[in-house]
Amino acid sequence: MKPATPYPLLMAIDSPADLRRLPAGQLETVAAELRRYLIDTVSQMGGHFAAGLGTVELTVALHYVFDTPTDRLVWDVGHQAYPHKVLTGRRDRLRTIKLKGGLAPFPTRVESEYDTFGVGHSSTSISAALGMAIAAARGRSRRIVSVIGDGAMSAGMAFEALNHAGSLDVDMLVILNDNDMSISENVGAFSNYFARVLSGKLYATLREGSKRVLSRMPTVWELARRSEEHMKGMVLPGTIFEEMGFNYIGPIDGHDIGALVATLRNLRDMKGPQFLHVITRKGKGYAPAEADPIKWHGPGPFDPKSGIIFKETASGPAYSQVFGQWMCDMAELDPQLVAITPAMREGSGLVEYSKRFPERYFDVAIAEQHAVTLGAGMACEGLHPVIAIYSTFLQRAYDQLIHDVALQNLPVTLAIDRAGLVGGDGATHQGSYDLSFLRCIPNLVLMAPADENECRQMLYTAVQLRRPAAVRYPRGQGPGVVQEPVMQALPLGKAQVRRDGRSGLLLIAVGAMVPMCDWLAEKHDATLVNLRFVKPLDEELIVHLAGTHRALVTIEENVVAGGAGSAINECLLAHGHVMPTLNLGIPDRFIEHGSREDCLAAAGLDAASIDGAIEHWWRMPARATG
């Protein structure tokens, strides 16, 4: 006899169709089981946690009311989508999330028909949902729902989409999942009742009927319209959305599943752009996560009873910690230094700095474009802005970097975290492209440190240059090199020869690949160069070494196309040097999720793969004999 499962209802749900066959009275039990399942499962393998706990009831209600996957449900970012994965046939595979060959960390179209749009970066859901709604209006009978968090709503792209959607005659529902740490005073029985009334058929009929009658009397119609907006604005924060063309409903308690189902049923049948404001609590149902949702955003494995997060031992500080300490040290020396981050305080290592120098710390929320141009404006007036930003998030501010910073040659420093392969967050977060898209920009200096101390000195160098400069460094720990407390600027554009070899093989490595190449240089008796500066290149050294070696291998944690290896190739050709060259880097495909080691192996950039590639290529007869 099998032991009883602690999740009897949840284990019977293999698709939303199974959920919709349940009576509404059982949905609270489903939600409770789903929340326990998330706690039990994520505690074993880690992953995005607090956001998903906050959307349990909303997810259950959405799949209960809407005919998914025929009706399209578009999640923003995807941190909150673990409950969605559980209810859409992936319950038993949740333990594999972020692992090689396992579930993706975010919704992705190739994984499930219920994942209608691939996400990972924020603020895309309304635009994507609007595109789907426009397509649905061409004869397809389906409803379109976008779920966006209050953090993602801070990005300009979300408001661009709202502005466009409100001007079109399309049927779509935008749900604002407002998961602030406190629930507003107007959330409760009365406001839930008010939301149901505003979304009900009687109110909608009266509202539309009044519009038709009063629109024939322009003066009276304008008075009525203003009166309606004024009354709703007195008790609801939705006037801005009404002005953008949406019918605003809410706020509603996102943990009252009865109110959610009733309101969503009403909204499902309403025409035109609808906006539902839902208040949830991050970490709902797990006390440690409710008390500190930032800490519990994406924990590793933990003990669900004690709330102790198990930490892996590390040989040295993470690069983000190196950056954070440098920021504090530099701020003591330079009163004009300011920090800017697009909602990445914790991830970028700026917690201590933000406490010690609050008047010189600017978190602009999820607004990468604004962050870069804000820094440009500060630089115009003599400040020394340092923008802490992830490699993949910098992609979203490329025009601002070119037009507002580089074109004006402004002294803005970019501290680019998560450069290279990041592991479990997968293809949406792999920092594979920054060397390629940055080195083509005029006026910009581009550096990549081989270790923690070099990172510290490069950051100092960048600020001292008084021109656009970027330092790109990887996620996680460095090789454990001791950091020198005294900061010294590195000679601009000068590489470092780490080993002189006698075999005729020249290895030029970039950033985090340099320590890995130390033993490879020993094995192949090769000369090893730490490039340091991708732009400007140390052309003098590269040309000299090319003339004294028979073959060249470049190694970088960036795509081969347009990367540092390409820059070296261009340099040699410009100086008339033609030599056998092997460029190793991230191949021309997206590297999916797994551990960092898995990702390096998939890209052919783990030590064994690099060694094998060099062995096969270098030992070819033409190069072996010179």
Side-chain angles (χ1 to χ4, degrees):
M1 183 176 178
K2 292 183 179 180
T5 174
Y7 324 105
L9 284 178
L10 187 64
M11 288 299 160
I13 298 173
D14 294 319
S15 73
D18 296 328
L19 175 68
R20 289 191 283 269
R21 280 191 282 269
L22 296 176
Q26 291 189 310
L27 295 183
E28 285 191 14
T29 304
V30 172
E33 291 183 10
L34 177 53
R35 183 168 277 112
R36 289 201 307 273
Y37 185 81
L38 289 173
I39 295 170
D40 293 344
T41 305
V42 178
S43 69
Q44 298 176 39
M45 47 45 165
H48 297 130
F49 185 59
L53 290 181
T55 59
V56 166
E57 287 83 4
L58 178 60
T59 306
V60 171
L62 283 167
H63 281 296
Y64 189 73
V65 171
F66 290 93
D67 184 23
T68 54
T70 299
D71 291 337
R72 304 305 200 202
L73 181 55
V74 185
W75 295 95
D76 210 286
V77 185
H79 295 141
Q80 74 276 42
Y82 282 25
H84 163 79
K85 286 179 182 274
V86 171
L87 294 178
T88 53
R90 290 166 280 181
R91 177 192 61 235
D92 298 334
R93 296 185 62 208
L94 190 64
R95 287 179 173 82
T96 71
I97 206 161
K98 292 193 173 189
L99 300 179
K100 181 182 179 181
L103 293 182
F106 305 104
T108 177
R109 284 171 56 83
V110 298
E111 185 175 286
S112 171
E113 62 180 333
Y114 293 93
D115 292 357
T116 60
F117 196 75
V119 294
H121 292 186
S122 83
S123 315
T124 62
S125 64
I126 302 176
S127 295
L130 177 58
M132 294 177 185
I134 291 171
R138 300 168 68 91
R140 298 173 183 172
S141 178
R142 59 168 55 113
R143 302 295 299 179
I144 313 296
V145 182
S146 158
V147 183
I148 184 169
D150 52 32
M153 189 64 84
S154 65
M157 184 176 177
F159 281 89
E160 291 172 15
L162 285 171
N163 183 59
H164 187 204
S167 69
L168 300 178
D169 184 22
V170 293
D171 300 333
M172 66 178 293
L173 169 61
V174 174
I175 298 177
L176 172 59
N177 173 30
D178 187 349
N179 56 18
D180 192 75
M181 282 180 259
S182 62
I183 295 180
S184 304
E185 292 180 358
N186 58 352
V187 171
F190 176 75
S191 64
N192 288 342
Y193 166 75
F194 195 38
R196 287 196 297 272
V197 169
L198 289 178
S199 66
K201 291 182 179 179
L202 176 60
Y203 176 82
T205 301
L206 291 172
R207 187 172 186 262
E208 293 306 312
S210 298
K211 278 185 181 180
R212 286 193 295 271
V213 173
L214 295 176
S215 63
R216 299 168 188 167
M217 298 177 285
T219 304
V220 180
W221 160 242
E222 179 63 18
L223 176 62
R225 187 188 70 82
R226 289 179 178 273
S227 297
E228 180 192 27
E229 298 307 321
H230 178 68
M231 290 301 294
K232 291 176 77 171
M234 286 174 62
V235 292
L236 300 171
T239 304
I240 184 173
F241 303 111
E242 293 275 358
E243 292 293 337
M244 297 181 84
F246 280 77
N247 179 42
Y248 173 90
I249 307 296
I252 184 173
D253 185 348
H255 301 299
D256 185 335
I257 201 161
L260 282 170
V261 168
T263 304
L264 289 172
R265 277 176 169 163
N266 288 333
L267 287 169
R268 181 185 58 191
D269 300 324
M270 293 179 70
K271 298 295 184 181
Q274 307 296 322
F275 192 100
L276 175 61
H277 185 177
V278 173
I279 305 291
T280 61
R281 187 176 183 88
K282 246 184 173 182
K284 174 70 174 177
Y286 188 66
E290 287 190 33
D292 192 350
I294 295 175
K295 175 183 177 181
W296 290 89
H297 169 71
F302 62 92
D303 178 2
K305 292 184 178 179
S306 67
I308 296 175
I309 300 173
F310 306 123
K311 296 192 180 293
E312 298 180 2
T313 57
S315 59
Y319 277 97
S320 58
Q321 293 174 289
V322 173
F323 168 71
Q325 183 60 56
W326 172 80
M327 281 295 299
C328 290
D329 294 345
M330 193 67 202
E332 294 281 5
L333 299 175
D334 183 357
Q336 303 305 313
L337 188 84
V338 294
I340 303 170
T341 183
M344 290 289 108
R345 183 184 69 163
E346 287 74 24
S348 294
L350 285 171
V351 173
E352 181 65 21
Y353 177 92
S354 69
K355 294 176 180 177
R356 290 178 56 186
F357 306 96
E359 73 286 352
R360 294 157 64 184
Y361 169 74
F362 301 89
D363 186 338
V364 302
I366 303 174
E368 296 88 356
Q369 294 170 299
H370 169 59
V372 172
T373 303
L374 175 69
M378 290 175 168
C380 285
E381 299 302 316
L383 296 181
H384 302 154
V386 178
I387 302 173
I389 192 168
Y390 292 3
S391 173
T392 50
F393 298 164
L394 181 59
Q395 294 165 186
R396 313 186 88 185
Y398 193 53
D399 177 67
Q400 287 70 28
L401 181 56
I402 294 174
H403 185 273
D404 299 336
V405 175
L407 182 61
Q408 303 183 88
N409 203 25
L410 292 171
V412 174
T413 297
L414 299 171
I416 306 173
D417 201 345
R418 270 61 168 181
L421 299 171
V422 299
D425 283 340
T428 60
H429 284 60
Q430 310 282 26
S432 305
Y433 316 107
D434 52 83
L435 293 183
S436 298
F437 71 68
L438 289 174
R439 80 172 185 87
C440 62
I441 302 176
N443 293 333
L444 182 71
V445 173
L446 179 55
M447 295 171 269
D451 55 51
E452 301 93 326
N453 184 56
E454 231 176 44
C455 184
R456 178 177 172 85
Q457 307 308 330
M458 284 182 178
L459 288 164
Y460 180 77
T461 303
V463 172
Q464 299 308 307
L465 287 173
R466 299 295 186 260
R467 60 185 288 189
V471 180
R472 62 101 71 172
Y473 46 89
R475 181 179 187 175
Q477 280 68 37
V481 173
V482 176
Q483 299 174 63
E484 299 172 8
V486 177
M487 293 178 281
Q488 294 182 328
L490 301 177
L492 179 63
K494 293 300 179 182
Q496 174 198 42
V497 178
R498 288 172 70 104
R499 184 185 189 278
D500 287 310
R502 294 172 296 176
S503 67
L505 178 63
L506 172 61
L507 305 181
I508 301 181
V510 182
M513 293 287 100
V514 174
M516 185 185 296
C517 290
D518 281 328
W519 77 272
L520 289 169
E522 291 285 342
K523 177 179 179 180
H524 297 281
D525 195 12
T527 296
L528 175 61
V529 173
N530 170 17
L531 189 61
R532 283 184 168 173
F533 289 83
V534 177
K535 186 177 184 179
L537 284 175
D538 192 342
E539 294 195 12
E540 181 181 358
L541 178 66
I542 292 169
V543 171
H544 168 71
L545 292 175
T548 58
H549 290 74
R550 299 200 309 272
L552 166 67
V553 179
T554 66
I555 307 103
E556 62 189 301
E557 200 173 340
N558 185 85
V559 291
V560 173
S566 293
I568 293 167
N569 296 346
E570 294 160 12
C571 168
L572 292 176
L573 287 173
H575 286 84
H577 280 275
V578 178
M579 66 188 303
T581 301
L582 175 63
N583 298 129
L584 297 178
I586 298 172
D588 189 24
R589 66 174 185 272
F590 293 108
I591 305 300
E592 299 298 335
H593 54 279
S595 67
R596 174 166 162 77
E597 291 71 26
D598 291 333
C599 292
L600 287 170
L605 290 177
D606 61 311
S609 297
I610 294 173
D611 184 36
I614 293 175
E615 186 75 34
H616 174 74
W617 180 82
W618 172 238
R619 299 305 175 188
M620 287 181 179
R623 281 176 285 284
T625 61

